[in-house]
Amino acid sequence: MQELNLLANDNRGQSQLEAGFDLMGWDEVTQGSVLPSFEGDATGIANKKAEERSYSGFNSYTATVASWRVQKPVFNRDICIDCQNCWVWCPDSSILSRDKQMLGIDYDHCKGCEVCVEVCPTNPKSLLMFNEHSDLEESLASWPEKKKKEKKSKEA
Ligand code: SF4
Ligand code: SF4
């Protein structure tokens, strides 16, 4: 896992979203209940960074879906051009970016859908899918070389 301590607060990804764990189902919640996303006063929360917010236990930020993945995206900092395509397209807000700089993957919430890999424009891609249990250093060491463009034939 690419550790990003700057984004890790106390309750990020602490509970498991999967069968067998003590989670209340949507059909067990009393109608009209209010489930606050944040602890305490949430004034100005939109302007706070994730690590500065106090997420409540009802917020999916405090749960992890890491066990759902079969494959995971691995990020190669050396090739990335910080275009932010992956950040824009990730359906689970699992690309970590600060000041338009790609930092890595939030593996607590990434579901391994591969969209980020698809939209990455570099050659070779700066994000590639690897087995969930693959080692980061080994994955980076096996990164493909830049693909050369095929020469166009002079004859039309
Ligand atoms: S694999 Fe899917 S969920 Fe995970 S970071 Fe990429 S786009 Fe987001
Ligand atoms: S899409 Fe690729 S090049 Fe662009 S920020 Fe993401 S990893 Fe970097």
Side-chain angles (χ1 to χ4, degrees):
M1 175 169 171
Q2 282 157 302
E3 287 294 343
L4 294 163
N5 291 330
L6 112 113
L7 293 157
N9 59 7
D10 287 348
N11 59 1
R12 178 178 127 185
Q14 289 304 295
S15 58
Q16 296 278 338
L17 274 185
E18 59 182 300
F21 285 82
D22 190 21
L23 283 173
M24 185 181 284
W26 64 269
D27 52 352
E28 298 172 84
V29 178
T30 306
Q31 287 186 9
S33 298
V34 175
L35 306 178
S37 279
F38 304 100
E39 303 285 0
D41 184 3
T43 305
I45 202 83
N47 297 319
K48 289 186 177 172
K49 293 173 178 159
E51 66 273 19
E52 297 167 346
R53 298 173 178 168
S54 289
Y55 291 92
S56 81
F58 299 119
N59 194 302
S60 60
Y61 189 85
T62 65
T64 180
V65 292
S67 63
W68 298 9
R69 280 192 310 268
V70 177
Q71 288 196 308
K72 64 182 177 185
V74 173
F75 174 51
N76 189 329
R77 171 76 262 168
D78 293 343
I79 308 167
C80 176
I81 57 172
D82 291 317
C83 71
Q84 307 296 295
N85 260 9
C86 53
W87 181 81
V88 169
W89 286 95
C90 172
D92 286 298
S93 302
S94 299
I95 298 294
L96 302 173
S97 178
R98 278 286 183 277
D99 301 323
K100 297 183 182 171
Q101 185 185 353
M102 161 67 163
L103 299 178
I105 315 288
D106 172 356
Y107 285 123
D108 284 331
H109 299 110
C110 165
K111 297 181 183 67
C113 69
E114 206 174 335
V115 167
C116 54
V117 175
E118 284 295 314
V119 299
C120 181
T122 57
N123 176 11
K125 287 180 181 288
S126 313
L127 288 160
L128 287 174
M129 299 303 284
F130 286 85
N131 182 286
E132 177 63 23
H133 303 292
S134 63
D135 175 78
L136 174 61
E137 295 307 321
E138 284 176 17
S139 301
L140 292 174
S142 67
W143 218 263
E145 296 289 320
K146 182 174 182 172
K147 278 186 196 162
K148 288 183 181 161
K149 283 185 183 172
E150 286 178 22
K151 284 184 183 169
K152 286 182 185 170
S153 166
K154 288 180 181 173
E155 293 172 24

